Amino acid sequence: MYTDNHMHEIVVKRNFSSRKRSRDGMRSHITPAKKRSSFTSETCSTHASGVSFLMQCCSDNEDLFEGYDSIVGDSAFLAKLEDVELQMRQCHDQQTQNACEDDLSDSILAEDFRDSPPRALPSSQLEFQKAVTTPDKRPSRSAHNTSTPDLMNPRPAVNHADLIVNKPPPKARRSMKDHLKKVLIDNAATSSTVSKTVQQKEAVMTEEISFAMQAMESISAEQDLGPFFGLPSKVKDLIFILKGIQDLYEWQKTCLSLDSVQQRRNLIYSLPTSGGKTLVAEILIFKELLCRKKDALLILPYISLVQEKVRGLSSFGIELDFMVEEYAGSKGRFPPVKRRNKNSLYITTIEKGHSLVNSLIENDRLENIGLVVVDELHMLGDGSRGAILEMTLSKILYMSKSTQIIGMSATLGNVGDLQTFLKAENYTNDFRPVELKEYVKIKDSIYEVDPREETCFSFSRLLDFKYSSGMQKMDPDRIIALATEVIPQQSCLIFCATKKNCENLAGMICKYLNKEFLKHKEAEKATLLSELKNSGNGSLCPVLQKTVPFGLAYHHSGLTSDERKLVEEAYSSGVLCLLTCTSTLAAGINLPARRVILRSPYVAAEFLKRSQYKQMVGRAGRAGIDAMGESILILQDKDINMLLSAPMEKCYSNLLHDGGRGLLSLVLSLIGLKVLRDFMKGTLLSVQEAQVSPERSLWDLTVESIETLKQKSLIEVSADVNNQTILQITRLGRATFKGSVDLSCCDLLYRDLSKGLEGLLLNSFLHLVYLVTPYDMVHQCKPDWMIYFRQFTNLSPAEQKMATAVGVPESFVARMAAGQSVRKSVDIVVVNRLYLALVLYSLLKETNLWNVSDRFQLTRGFVQTLLSSASAFGSSVLHFTEELEEFWAYKALLSELTRRLTYCVQAELIPLMEVAGVMEHRAKQLYNAGYKTLAHLANADPQILVQTIENLFKRQANQIIASAKMLIKEKAEALQEEVDDLFMLPSDLPSL
């Protein structure tokens, strides 16, 4: 049916549906007026310019006269005023009224204040003084309709003589002394609603933004964009206050000044780990939000990184007046709230970023995204997640020509392919803030990595450490010797191949450490142990209980979220000096060390990739603390040649990964979004077609995908009267792509939801929990049949009936627990899924992860992962059911369930858990200290918070408060948008 000749004939039929009416419609007389902050300059009376200068300069928080507590009480000053008044009256008697008024601006009073200005005049007062003595400026009409004064087109000076023509005779003036007394007393009694200092800072900032926006209209490489790369100087001040960064590195300045950056072309830039890549991206994001007034999208690889970045940038959002919105796990609103007065920074995971872009395309709002920043761009080559990232970027490139894409990537062997795909330029630099020395250890010898040598290694030293025979057996790699050269005074990371290796190694090192290690920061370590125990509701990992007193801990996905957070904070503050960890730490949160040790060149059973190695050793060296960093890779003889011959890896399209699931998902979403025509030519797969799919053309693959989607009843294929092929998405197909449901299980999910409606159990969460238990985790856990039977018998009769209805009768579980054969066949996927549902159900009932993991004999890390996956899948199922009318009953039910799964804590803690980075243990601390709502946190004093909450640092307190403020702001904005929509006059209102 499909041939190359028919390629141009495929048409996507558009079904015009009623959409939300435009927000730009005419406003009716009942539309509520917006609250606008305006800056009004005070008019100056010609006969008292000196006094009005005083009135303008003085604000509630400023003391113009320095040491004077009260001007009214200062007889010398008032006496001087009387002398001036006398001279003025003499002048009045000698000259005509008009002449006197015309010359008053040059009177002794004015000269007295101008020639003898107060000492140490505040900057805002200087600005007001300048405003008095310079002509008024009108707002520019060309700078994007802003209210910023037009510095390039000032109004002509006002002729004062024109202002006094036909002026009525002046009233008799009161004494200058009395007048000033009255003004000062009135000012003291009346509190100003807005400090003039604040107004002045806002005016300066607005001026700088306007200047940058004007510069960007006629931009060139030689032009100066403004005080801080086109941004207000306030941004530079905030970077110093919030990040401690006083100046940029030279490479950062060079990168921000590139033609490609200034002319808004796409860019890929690569630097070593810890080189400062992220700050460049953040400055570009601020520029997009503040100067171009566009939204920005930041895509990060992991949920933990999203949460960390939301915490870190919320303070900037509060200060610079933009929104920071989190899209990770079950969090995120589709489509996002359309804001009229503020711009948003969306911080997303790879999966949520794709869903966000789909929703924006569907609502014709993708053009609102001015900048997309992708961290770890080389993850395009990372299996199914790489396929999703490729889909996202391809859609942005195709649908929005004005959106700039910035990618941060590891050094790749085929970066040219990515440049072609993204139509981007490339910038690389080998800068590191701290010198890195790389070593390898072979037996007892340590060699420095030196590319100039023929073997790439040069001998450095012998490892001199006295080992007993027992130690040699326990530590053949001499890791204790390498670690104790730097700890406890300095920090050390040891990367291990597996999670079990991490725990075993930490325990082994403690056995042979000197008892002096126990005394180092003993009180802080005791506090950490106490907090770890509290986070587990009285339970404490036996390995951590043993290692933490020595300043050691392990770090991998087997820790709970609370444990991981506490361990990371303790390591960053120096309480812990050594972490044994898996490779995920290198790709996640930034935890640098003086020395990094790689126990072997393997991750699980796979040999270390070059990019993974660079990421790990890149953690060596702490900027501002260490003069240099060291990395030591422990090698066996057999691994030397493999390491030397390891090529620089290349990044290839993963749309064909796992049987082409990525391509199927892409084609389905394109048909749903009505953008299939010519789209495939813009993918990375198209660029790499010869390497990735040498046997089948991209067109053949696309046609094959269409046939598969048709067989799954996700699309319909028909022909119109002109024999052109028409592709339409079905209801099931639309639900699948809107819910981001995997195509391999969308039909199974539909059947399960349909069957559930026949007898949905509503007096228990078990049935709903079963429906949102993720299919992809079913094969990661084999049930313990005795535990399964015990839990099954504890269910209520209604719950047991529900289990039988889904396909797991009690008789089957009883036979399996007794070790008897089962004659009747049972779907093992359903059986395993119900077992995982029982784990989640127990967790919802008591919210104690430790107890549940012990009861089911599962690691707490697995239970934590199951909970996170169920929460995310629950969100997908919710969006899936919203597109299918027959599943209307699930909408309200799944919304509440997803919320509970997201936090899995007592109901009163959920508002606090919404704040980025606040885990259950911290939420309990805050709640017990009286901070019970978002409003409490948003209005908290950071100093009091630090004093009240144990082991909370000032920086963390500020981030929590800023995140809470941002959440409240976000919710308030969303409600305001709803109010505005209700009062909006319909654009299609019938009229005569």
Side-chain angles (χ1 to χ4, degrees):
M1 181 177 178
Y2 307 98
T3 66
D4 199 21
N5 296 329
H6 289 83
M7 179 176 178
H8 65 283
E9 294 181 357
I10 289 185
V11 176
V12 179
K13 185 174 181 182
R14 291 180 175 270
N15 291 327
F16 293 95
S17 58
S18 60
R19 293 187 178 180
K20 194 174 182 180
R21 58 179 175 261
S22 170
R23 295 173 181 273
D24 301 322
M26 296 175 58
R27 293 176 177 271
S28 68
H29 65 281
I30 60 171
T31 305
K34 291 275 187 182
K35 291 184 179 179
R36 293 185 175 87
S37 61
S38 60
F39 178 79
T40 57
S41 57
E42 298 178 24
T43 57
C44 307
S45 176
T46 309
H47 71 275
S49 62
V51 174
S52 69
F53 165 65
L54 285 173
M55 292 166 63
Q56 290 184 43
C57 287
C58 294
S59 75
D60 296 342
N61 300 321
E62 297 171 344
D63 187 357
L64 178 63
F65 298 93
E66 297 188 315
Y68 287 88
D69 290 330
S70 172
I71 295 176
V72 178
D74 192 323
S75 57
F77 180 80
L78 295 178
K80 185 176 180 180
L81 279 180
E82 287 181 347
D83 292 339
V84 171
E85 180 76 355
L86 180 61
Q87 293 179 35
M88 289 172 61
R89 287 180 177 173
Q90 291 173 354
C91 173
H92 178 75
D93 293 335
Q94 293 172 2
Q95 299 180 8
T96 64
Q97 178 178 339
N98 288 348
C100 185
E101 287 180 355
D102 200 43
D103 292 342
L104 204 55
S105 60
D106 296 323
S107 68
I108 291 175
L109 179 64
E111 288 176 358
D112 204 6
F113 284 113
R114 287 175 185 168
D115 294 342
S116 304
R119 295 184 301 277
L121 199 63
S123 59
S124 59
Q125 294 176 9
L126 287 171
E127 289 291 338
F128 277 113
Q129 183 178 9
K130 182 179 177 182
V132 172
T133 58
T134 56
D136 187 23
K137 300 178 180 66
R138 282 199 183 275
S140 168
R141 294 181 180 272
S142 60
H144 298 278
N145 297 324
T146 66
S147 58
T148 309
D150 187 351
L151 303 179
M152 308 301 294
N153 302 298
R155 291 179 61 199
V158 178
N159 187 347
H160 288 276
D162 294 338
L163 299 178
I164 59 174
V165 176
N166 299 324
K167 199 172 184 180
K171 297 179 182 179
R173 292 186 306 175
R174 76 175 75 165
S175 164
M176 180 72 74
K177 177 172 123 181
D178 295 337
H179 181 76
L180 184 59
K181 266 188 180 183
K182 181 178 185 304
V183 169
L184 292 174
I185 291 170
D186 288 346
N187 284 348
T190 306
S191 60
S192 175
T193 57
V194 180
S195 167
K196 289 188 176 68
T197 307
V198 175
Q199 288 181 335
Q200 197 60 31
K201 287 179 179 177
E202 290 177 355
V204 171
M205 179 180 166
T206 306
E207 233 173 67
E208 291 175 350
I209 290 176
S210 178
F211 177 72
M213 289 172 69
Q214 292 171 17
M216 290 181 74
E217 289 180 355
S218 57
I219 201 155
S220 70
E222 292 77 28
Q223 280 182 314
D224 181 10
L225 296 186
F228 185 64
F229 300 101
L231 285 164
S233 53
K234 181 177 182 180
V235 176
K236 184 178 181 181
D237 296 338
L238 286 172
I239 289 173
F240 175 64
I241 294 168
L242 300 174
K243 291 178 173 285
I245 298 172
Q246 193 160 9
D247 195 15
L248 302 187
Y249 298 126
E250 284 304 316
W251 83 262
Q252 292 171 324
K253 296 176 183 177
T254 301
C255 188
L256 287 167
S257 303
L258 292 172
D259 285 351
S260 54
V261 171
Q262 297 195 24
Q263 296 175 14
R264 301 194 72 256
R265 297 196 295 270
N266 296 345
L267 176 71
I268 300 170
Y269 66 99
S270 308
L271 272 97
T273 302
S274 303
K277 296 191 294 289
T278 306
L279 182 59
V280 169
E282 289 176 357
I283 290 173
L284 292 175
I285 287 170
F286 296 152
K287 196 170 180 178
E288 197 68 28
L289 294 164
L290 300 179
C291 299
R292 297 193 72 247
K293 300 296 183 183
K294 289 277 191 175
D295 297 333
L297 171 61
L298 174 58
I299 301 176
L300 301 170
Y302 304 111
I303 293 176
S304 59
L305 290 180
V306 170
Q307 293 173 339
E308 182 189 15
K309 193 58 64 181
V310 168
R311 281 199 311 275
L313 293 181
S314 289
S315 299
F316 286 94
I318 295 296
E319 293 293 332
L320 301 175
D321 200 29
F322 62 82
M323 307 302 296
V324 177
E325 301 186 39
E326 178 182 348
Y327 281 75
S330 64
K331 293 185 179 179
R333 184 167 175 171
F334 303 106
V337 175
K338 187 175 182 181
R339 307 186 190 281
R340 293 183 179 85
N341 302 316
K342 287 185 175 62
N343 294 102
S344 293
L345 168 58
Y346 306 111
I347 305 180
T348 77
T349 55
I350 292 173
E351 294 79 9
K352 285 288 184 177
H354 184 226
S355 299
L356 177 63
V357 167
N358 280 342
S359 70
L360 290 172
I361 292 173
E362 194 172 27
N363 289 270
D364 295 323
R365 288 171 51 191
L366 188 60
E367 292 286 344
N368 294 344
I369 302 287
L371 175 66
V372 175
V373 176
V374 183
D375 194 13
E376 311 291 355
L377 182 65
H378 53 270
M379 288 191 74
L380 279 165
D382 185 21
S384 60
R385 303 193 80 209
I388 295 172
L389 183 56
E390 182 178 347
M391 289 185 250
T392 305
L393 295 176
S394 298
K395 289 173 183 176
I396 293 169
L397 287 166
Y398 184 85
M399 295 298 297
S400 178
K401 305 304 179 186
S402 64
T403 301
Q404 183 185 19
I405 298 176
I406 303 289
M408 297 177 276
S409 173
T411 305
L412 296 170
N414 64 338
V415 71
D417 287 352
L418 300 191
Q419 285 182 254
T420 304
F421 165 49
L422 295 176
K423 302 175 182 62
E425 297 182 16
N426 186 34
Y427 174 81
T428 58
N429 197 300
D430 58 0
F431 171 81
R432 275 186 56 88
V434 178
E435 180 189 3
L436 172 63
K437 291 194 174 182
E438 299 176 50
Y439 299 93
V440 297
K441 177 191 157 301
I442 304 171
K443 297 181 179 177
D444 286 342
S445 299
I446 294 180
Y447 300 86
E448 185 173 357
V449 177
D450 188 354
R452 295 170 297 180
E453 295 288 330
E454 185 177 347
T455 60
C456 291
F457 303 135
S458 62
F459 178 79
S460 177
R461 63 188 174 96
L462 281 172
L463 194 59
D464 184 22
F465 190 87
K466 293 182 180 179
Y467 269 70
S468 65
S469 58
M471 284 181 67
Q472 286 178 353
K473 290 179 182 179
M474 295 293 294
D475 184 23
D477 294 329
R478 305 293 194 269
I479 291 176
I480 295 174
L482 295 173
T484 51
E485 287 179 344
V486 292
I487 63 171
Q489 301 303 328
Q490 294 173 311
S491 57
C492 180
L493 292 175
I494 304 178
F495 287 100
C496 303
T498 66
K499 291 185 284 188
K500 196 63 179 174
N501 282 349
C502 293
E503 298 178 31
N504 292 341
L505 182 60
M508 184 271 291
I509 294 174
C510 288
K511 285 183 181 179
Y512 298 101
L513 286 181
N514 193 301
K515 300 301 180 186
E516 292 297 317
F517 278 81
L518 294 171
K519 298 178 182 177
H520 184 73
K521 298 197 174 183
E522 189 174 4
E524 292 92 334
K525 288 183 287 194
T527 301
L528 174 60
L529 278 174
S530 173
E531 293 201 325
L532 285 168
K533 190 171 183 178
N534 290 336
S535 72
N537 294 306
S539 300
L540 178 62
C541 170
V543 177
L544 291 176
Q545 187 173 18
K546 179 181 177 182
T547 61
V548 167
F550 287 91
L552 279 64
Y554 65 89
H555 184 288
H556 58 60
S557 60
L559 293 172
T560 66
S561 300
D562 277 327
E563 287 174 322
R564 196 178 307 127
K565 187 80 177 165
L566 288 169
V567 166
E568 288 167 357
E569 289 174 355
Y571 177 81
S572 297
S573 62
V575 176
L576 296 175
C577 58
L578 185 148
L579 293 182
T580 57
C581 49
T582 53
S583 59
T584 53
L585 182 139
I589 191 170
N590 185 23
L591 294 175
R594 173 66 170 78
R595 176 175 289 180
V596 170
I597 300 170
L598 284 70
R599 192 178 184 187
S600 74
Y602 292 89
V603 174
E606 294 184 6
F607 198 79
L608 201 62
K609 294 178 182 177
R610 187 188 184 98
S611 60
Q612 289 175 319
Y613 169 78
K614 287 295 184 183
Q615 246 182 354
M616 292 178 190
V617 302
R619 296 300 182 199
R622 298 163 296 175
I625 300 175
D626 298 324
M628 71 166 192
E630 297 174 326
S631 71
I632 302 174
L633 171 61
I634 298 173
L635 285 178
Q636 308 301 325
D637 292 334
K638 64 183 177 66
D639 298 324
I640 296 175
N641 291 333
M642 290 180 66
L643 181 70
L644 294 176
S645 61
M648 185 180 295
E649 63 256 32
K650 298 181 179 181
C651 178
Y652 291 108
S653 170
N654 272 268
L655 287 179
L656 300 182
H657 174 75
D658 197 11
R661 284 165 63 178
L663 184 59
L664 280 172
S665 179
L666 174 60
V667 172
L668 176 66
S669 65
L670 293 178
I671 296 172
L673 295 170
K674 310 177 184 70
V675 293
L676 182 59
R677 183 183 294 274
D678 297 329
F679 180 94
M680 301 304 296
K681 296 177 183 177
T683 61
L684 180 60
L685 178 59
S686 175
V687 175
Q688 300 175 331
E689 183 177 350
Q691 301 102 302
V692 176
S693 181
E695 298 177 356
R696 291 180 294 171
S697 69
L698 182 57
W699 175 247
D700 291 337
L701 291 168
T702 305
V703 170
E704 188 179 309
S705 297
I706 291 173
E707 287 291 350
T708 304
L709 293 172
K710 180 184 174 184
Q711 292 170 11
K712 286 178 169 286
S713 300
L714 299 174
I715 64 170
E716 294 173 344
V717 182
S718 59
D720 62 9
V721 292
N722 298 320
N723 203 31
Q724 286 188 320
T725 302
I726 298 174
L727 304 177
Q728 283 184 293
I729 194 167
T730 63
R731 292 169 59 254
L732 177 59
R734 176 167 296 280
T736 300
F737 108 79
K738 291 288 287 289
S740 299
V741 176
D742 195 303
L743 269 63
S744 63
C745 63
C746 61
D747 51 349
L748 181 58
L749 175 62
Y750 184 86
R751 287 200 303 270
D752 285 343
L753 290 171
S754 299
K755 190 176 180 180
L757 287 178
E758 297 172 5
L760 189 61
L761 181 66
L762 293 178
N763 62 355
S764 165
F765 270 121
L766 181 60
H767 200 168
L768 288 172
V769 167
Y770 171 79
L771 292 173
V772 299
T773 300
Y775 294 102
D776 59 356
M777 293 200 69
V778 167
H779 299 292
Q780 297 182 29
C781 174
K782 294 184 72 173
D784 182 311
W785 295 108
M786 284 302 298
I787 295 174
Y788 204 155
F789 180 69
R790 195 178 305 124
Q791 294 303 312
F792 198 102
T793 54
N794 288 335
L795 297 176
S796 68
E799 290 168 338
Q800 289 184 6
K801 186 178 179 181
M802 166 257 148
T804 303
V806 299
V808 187
E810 183 181 6
S811 59
F812 168 79
V813 179
R815 282 181 172 274
M816 294 297 293
Q820 298 175 0
S821 60
V822 179
R823 297 175 185 175
K824 189 176 180 181
S825 62
V826 176
D827 188 344
I828 197 63
V829 172
V830 174
V831 172
N832 287 4
R833 194 170 180 225
L834 181 62
Y835 186 70
L836 294 180
L838 290 172
V839 176
L840 291 168
Y841 183 49
S842 298
L843 202 52
L844 280 178
K845 286 197 295 185
E846 61 177 287
T847 72
N848 190 323
L849 192 145
W850 278 84
N851 289 349
V852 172
S853 60
D854 287 343
R855 184 179 307 139
F856 286 87
Q857 294 298 294
L858 299 169
T859 65
R860 61 194 186 282
F862 177 83
V863 176
Q864 179 88 62
T865 303
L866 174 63
L867 182 62
S868 300
S869 298
S871 168
F873 186 60
S875 178
S876 293
V877 175
L878 175 59
H879 292 303
F880 182 89
T881 57
E882 285 174 344
E883 297 299 318
L884 298 166
E885 188 177 349
E886 59 267 36
F887 294 147
W888 63 269
Y890 284 121
K891 294 178 186 177
L893 297 171
L894 290 177
S895 179
E896 176 60 24
L897 177 64
T898 301
R899 185 168 180 260
R900 293 203 178 199
L901 287 171
T902 299
Y903 304 109
C904 198
V905 293
Q906 296 168 354
E908 62 267 21
L909 298 180
I910 289 179
L912 302 178
M913 294 280 287
E914 290 179 359
V915 178
V918 173
M919 302 299 173
E920 183 180 2
H921 173 57
R922 183 72 78 203
K924 288 179 179 177
Q925 286 182 311
L926 292 167
Y927 189 87
N928 293 334
Y931 300 96
K932 299 185 178 182
T933 65
L934 274 178
H936 285 125
L937 278 183
N939 294 285
D941 184 321
Q943 198 63 43
I944 297 175
L945 208 58
V946 168
Q947 295 171 357
T948 307
I949 307 300
E950 192 176 12
N951 203 32
L952 181 69
F953 301 106
K954 181 74 175 288
R955 181 169 174 269
Q956 295 167 337
N958 285 329
Q959 287 183 341
I960 287 174
I961 292 169
S963 295
K965 285 181 178 177
M966 182 59 68
L967 274 174
I968 286 181
K969 198 174 177 183
E970 189 178 320
K971 292 181 178 185
E973 288 278 334
L975 291 173
Q976 183 61 52
E977 294 293 333
E978 289 185 26
V979 171
D980 291 346
D981 280 345
L982 289 172
F983 284 99
M984 183 71 70
L985 189 68
S987 58
D988 56 352
L989 188 67
S991 60
L992 295 176

